[in-house]
């Protein structure tokens, strides 16, 4: 993985954009390198499981989400949203507003009998906060270790994503030194093996067959879905627990053996070596690839 030492300065604000709109992470930074890489797909299940291990978030997803009935559609929409926060340019802030509107009416009682609202910073900030440790920990396996300077740059850029989501600076730890005590406190006081977190690492839960894609793919899925479903659930559980930091695993009550760790290292080494050999259009998700191509084309264009 290569990253620029300093992200490029943001360009002028697009005409018609709100003056108060937060800027997305600048092109050329750490997030522009890693968040659209296809290897990030292997990291997302661990982050989502850490999120729903929060009693309020787990209750909200359990009661209001379609993750059981439409997991593929929900996953596709969530992935597009995450990509827009980083690569969306002037669309990033609007996507952040859309996410807030979507969660405006989600409220109820969590697993500890406490009233919750999904936009309460006490739980909304945790949804954002889980991305940073996952990038660091899973990145050691799938990318390479970040330097201290890259870690700090990544955290600064992740704070920008938090602002895109509508979080205020006072609701987020503003430095890495502030982040880790917050993270450890959340693991010690809030995180637990919620119903949804347990489902996301189970290998015997129902999973609807994907219905999209070309006709040959749909026919293949229809014929072999029972076998493919079992294999997918095993892989999902493996990468979810494997790419989760050990202290988060312990807080959720997830087991991980030495044999599993050896398998994860072999699998990760293969992915880490093979993915960089792919052309960029295959190495990056479509939205990220288009944004990066446009940025590189603009950087190469002669000044007028």
């Amino acid at each position: 993985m290569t990253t620029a030492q300093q992200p490029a300065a943001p360009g002028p604000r697009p005409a018609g954009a709100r003056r108060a709109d937060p800027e997305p992470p600048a092109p050329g930074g750490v997030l522009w390198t890693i968040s659209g890489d296809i290897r990030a797909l292997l990291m997302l299940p661990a982050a989502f499981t850490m999120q729903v291990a929060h009693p309020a978030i787990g209750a909200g997803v359990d009661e209001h989400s379609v993750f059981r009935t439409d997991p593929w559609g929900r996953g596709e929409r969530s992935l597009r949203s995450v990509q827009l926060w980083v690569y969306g340019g002037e669309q990033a802030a609007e996507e952040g507003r859309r996410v807030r509107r979507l969660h405006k009416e989600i409220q109820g009682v969590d697993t500890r009998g406490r009233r919750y609202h999904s936009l309460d910073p006490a739980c909304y900030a945790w949804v954002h906060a889980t991305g940073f440790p996952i990038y660091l920990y899973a990145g050691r396996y799938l990318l390479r270790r970040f330097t201290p300077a890259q870690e700090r740059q990544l955290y600064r850029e992740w704070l920008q994503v938090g602002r895109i989501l509508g979080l205020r600076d006072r609701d987020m730890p503003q430095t890495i030194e502030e982040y880790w005590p917050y993270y450890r406190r959340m693991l010690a006081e809030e995180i637990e093996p919620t119903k949804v977190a347990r489902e996301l690492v189970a290998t015997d839960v129902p999973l609807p067959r994907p219905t999209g894609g070309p006709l040959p793919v749909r026919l293949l899925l229809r014929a072999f879905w029972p076998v493919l479903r079992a294999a997918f659930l095993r892989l999902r559980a493996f990468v979810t627990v494997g790419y989760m930091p050990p202290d988060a695993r312990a807080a959720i009550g997830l087991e991980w053996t030495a044999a599993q760790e050896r398998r994860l290292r072999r699998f990760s080494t293969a992915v880490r070596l093979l993915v960089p050999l792919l052309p960029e259009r295959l190495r990056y998700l479509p939205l990220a690839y288009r944004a990066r191509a446009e940025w590189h084309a603009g950087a190469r264009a002669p000044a007028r």
Side-chain angles (χ1 to χ4, degrees):
M1 178 188 69
T2 58
T3 59
Q5 292 300 311
Q6 295 294 332
R13 185 179 300 278
R18 302 185 184 188
R19 290 182 59 83
D21 280 355
E23 296 283 354
V30 178
L31 275 177
W32 263 64
T33 300
I34 64 175
S35 65
D37 188 302
I38 59 173
R39 286 169 285 188
L41 295 174
L42 296 170
M43 306 180 193
L44 292 177
F48 184 50
T49 303
M50 286 175 61
Q51 292 167 14
V52 299
H54 187 290
I57 301 167
V61 170
D62 185 30
E63 297 166 6
H64 299 279
S65 175
V66 298
F67 86 99
R68 294 186 183 96
T69 57
D70 183 24
W72 307 103
R74 185 193 186 280
E76 183 178 354
R77 292 188 294 274
S78 297
L79 182 60
R80 174 175 170 77
S81 187
V82 171
Q83 295 295 289
L84 283 172
W85 304 341
V86 177
Y87 301 101
E90 62 186 84
Q91 298 180 63
E94 176 53 37
E95 178 61 17
R97 289 189 287 270
R98 188 194 70 83
V99 169
R100 291 183 68 85
R101 290 194 300 269
L102 187 67
H103 290 81
K104 188 175 181 180
E105 304 302 324
I106 298 178
Q107 55 188 309
V109 178
D110 73 11
T111 58
R112 301 181 185 179
R114 303 173 298 190
R115 297 291 306 177
Y116 75 85
H117 189 287
S118 63
L119 294 180
D120 183 336
C123 54
Y124 193 52
W126 178 247
V127 173
H128 166 257
T130 56
F132 180 65
I134 292 296
Y135 277 133
L136 290 186
Y137 186 74
R140 297 172 185 174
Y141 292 85
L142 295 167
L143 303 163
R144 65 177 61 177
R145 283 184 179 270
F146 294 101
T147 66
Q150 287 171 333
E151 287 189 14
R152 291 183 178 279
Q153 182 178 336
L154 174 61
Y155 192 74
R156 289 194 300 270
E157 293 173 359
W158 199 240
L159 286 178
Q160 290 176 257
V161 170
R163 296 176 188 119
I164 290 289
L165 291 172
L167 286 163
R168 299 161 297 189
D169 281 358
R170 68 173 179 266
D171 298 324
M172 301 180 288
Q174 290 299 290
T175 65
I176 289 181
E177 288 78 12
E178 294 175 4
Y179 175 83
W180 291 118
Y182 159 78
Y183 170 79
R184 289 190 289 270
R185 178 178 63 78
M186 292 295 292
L187 294 184
E189 299 178 6
E190 290 290 339
I191 301 311
E192 64 183 32
T194 62
K195 176 182 178 182
V196 178
R198 293 194 303 271
E199 284 186 44
L200 292 176
V201 295
T203 58
D204 58 353
V205 293
L207 183 68
R209 171 173 50 85
T211 57
L215 179 59
V217 173
R218 298 200 305 271
L219 293 175
L220 181 67
L221 288 171
R222 184 179 303 171
F224 296 101
W225 182 239
V227 174
L228 295 173
R229 180 187 69 83
F232 174 82
L233 289 174
R234 288 195 298 270
L235 176 63
R236 185 179 73 173
F238 179 66
V239 299
T240 298
V241 182
Y243 293 133
M244 187 181 296
D247 49 3
R249 282 184 211 142
I252 303 174
L254 300 174
E255 295 182 357
W256 189 249
T257 67
Q260 288 174 309
E261 178 65 21
R262 289 192 294 271
R263 286 174 53 208
L264 182 73
R265 290 180 181 275
R266 291 194 297 269
F267 172 77
S268 302
T269 298
V271 173
R272 189 175 66 249
L273 294 176
L274 290 174
V275 170
L277 301 179
L278 298 173
E280 186 154 324
R281 63 183 176 83
L282 297 178
R283 196 168 75 247
Y284 280 90
L285 297 167
L287 197 153
Y289 171 71
R290 290 193 297 271
R292 287 171 57 85
E294 290 172 4
W295 177 62
H296 285 303
R300 289 193 298 265
R304 296 187 179 183

